């Protein structure tokens, strides 16, 4: 009975829910999950990781399953084998499982600095009453390969009014921590296959017009 009571205190009480889509990512899935776990000393207490596999056939799902079994209270793994090209469909499925105060959409193409989550959480706690989005600056590299791989890093910043500073309103979901209450019943468009992320992000951004 004591063990059940302790689990009841922690489950569903997360600071951040991280959503990570998996699609034949055998070369990166283990590294990305390890990076999320290793850079959060409070992973077991405050981080929820939602893994949504899109029908991988390269072993990615099996690797993710091992992590779910190791961290059953923190990691939730789902798999849908439909062939929808609209990422909005998949994001909406994952959002239904999110329990954190803030939601982060992990981009497997990006590289997060070691202190990204801890520093983001400081700003979340400091400005949660004033903004719906905490945004980490983005730097691009590997341009020679014509691949825009965002390297997400943390630098000191403050509240930005996007009406006054239009150049700051960069829409990149992988660098944003979005307040779950601000998302509410809002969903990604499930028909668009190109701008559904931009539309979702902008609708939340324009509620308070600050990040």
């Amino acid at each position: 009975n004591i063990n059940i009571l302790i689990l009841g205190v922690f489950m569903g009480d997360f600071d951040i829910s991280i959503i990570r889509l998996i699609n034949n990512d055998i070369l990166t899935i283990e590294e990305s999950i390890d990076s999320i776990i290793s850079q959060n000393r409070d992973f077991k207490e405050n981080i929820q990781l939602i893994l949504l596999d899109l029908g991988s056939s390269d072993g990615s799902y099996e690797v993710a399953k091992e992590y779910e079994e190791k961290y059953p209270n923190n990691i939730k793994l789902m798999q849908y084998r439909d062939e929808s090209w609209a990422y909005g469909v998949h994001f909406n499925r994952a959002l239904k499982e999110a329990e954190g105060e803030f939601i982060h959409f992990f981009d497997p193409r990006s590289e997060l600095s070691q202190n990204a989550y801890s520093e983001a959480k400081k700003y979340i706690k400091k400005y949660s009453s004033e903004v719906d989005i905490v945004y980490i600056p983005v730097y691009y590299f590997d341009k020679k390969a014509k691949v825009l791989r965002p390297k997400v890093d943390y630098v000191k910043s403050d509240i930005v009014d996007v009406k006054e500073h239009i150049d700051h309103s960069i829409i990149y979901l992988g660098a944003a921590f979005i307040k779950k209450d601000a998302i509410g019943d809002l969903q990604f468009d499930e028909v668009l296959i190109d701008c559904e992320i931009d539309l979702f992000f902008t609708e939340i951004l324009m509620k308070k017009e600050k990040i």
Side-chain angles (χ1 to χ4, degrees), residues 143-159:
K143 291 183 178 179
K144 291 183 179 179
K146 297 183 180 180
V147 178
L148 294 180
R149 297 177 57 201
K151 181 178 181 181
V152 183
D153 200 0
Y154 171 81
V155 295
K156 184 177 180 180
S157 62
D158 210 332
I159 293 180

Side-chain angles (χ1 to χ4, degrees), residues 60-99:
S60 300
Y61 177 82
E62 287 71 21
V63 171
K65 186 65 178 177
E66 293 179 5
Y67 281 94
E68 182 187 41
E69 292 172 353
K70 187 175 181 179
Y71 300 96
N73 295 330
N74 300 85
I75 298 179
K76 182 175 181 62
L77 174 63
M78 302 179 291
Q79 186 179 56
Y80 291 92
R81 292 184 176 276
D82 59 46
E83 298 182 355
S84 174
W85 287 94
Y87 272 76
V89 173
H90 310 306
F91 283 136
N92 287 336
R93 285 172 174 162
L95 275 174
K96 291 179 181 179
E97 306 297 330
E99 301 175 19

Side-chain angles (χ1 to χ4, degrees), residues 97-174:
E97 306 297 330
E99 301 175 19
E101 180 184 358
F102 273 70
I103 311 297
H104 173 66
F105 296 86
F106 185 89
D107 187 340
R109 301 169 301 170
S110 68
E111 175 186 323
L112 286 169
S113 60
Q114 187 63 29
N115 64 341
Y117 284 107
S118 60
E119 293 297 336
K121 283 191 286 187
K122 291 179 183 179
Y123 273 75
I124 286 172
K125 294 182 182 298
K126 184 176 181 179
Y127 295 117
S128 61
S129 63
E130 300 175 66
V131 300
D132 292 329
I133 300 171
V134 173
Y135 198 84
I136 303 175
V138 179
Y139 303 90
Y140 292 94
F141 62 101
D142 280 357
K143 291 183 178 179
K144 291 183 179 179
K146 297 183 180 180
V147 178
L148 294 180
R149 297 177 57 201
K151 181 178 181 181
V152 183
D153 200 0
Y154 171 81
V155 295
K156 184 177 180 180
S157 62
D158 210 332
I159 293 180
V160 175
D161 187 321
V162 296
K163 292 185 299 182
E164 297 179 5
H165 303 281
I166 299 176
D167 57 320
H168 281 268
S169 58
I170 303 171
I171 298 176
Y172 170 51
L173 205 60

